[in-house]
Amino acid sequence: MGAYLCIASNDVPPAVSKRIILNVNFSPVIKVPNQLLGAPLGTDVQLECYVEAFPNTINYWLKSNGEMLLHG
């Protein structure tokens, strides 16, 4: 993805150019460094999930009972 400049020229001036923006839509790629975490009851745990996609994704965590984690 990015900006590209196309330039057309021959022996007849002037050369002509056109700038285009290329976007490539692709499915999300998800990386989770630690898929199993453990901690004593009542302590904090940090969950990490890295997502690469275009267009951008909407990310959220769900507990096993389907409850969405909204804060933190």
Side-chain angles (χ1 to χ4, degrees):
M1 293 193 300
Y4 292 86
L5 182 63
C6 177
I7 302 171
S9 66
N10 57 16
D11 292 334
V12 180
V16 178
S17 64
K18 182 74 173 181
R19 182 176 182 265
I20 64 163
I21 303 293
L22 177 66
N23 290 323
V24 179
N25 294 345
F26 61 95
S27 300
V29 176
I30 300 174
K31 295 179 184 171
V32 181
N34 297 306
Q35 295 186 28
L36 180 62
L37 296 172
L41 190 62
T43 61
D44 292 337
V45 174
Q46 183 172 336
L47 304 174
E48 294 180 314
C49 177
Y50 301 100
V51 179
E52 182 180 2
F54 190 85
N56 286 334
T57 60
I58 298 171
N59 306 314
Y60 54 92
W61 291 95
L62 294 176
K63 292 183 179 182
S64 59
N65 64 2
E67 179 185 349
M68 187 183 297
L69 297 174
L70 297 175
H71 303 287

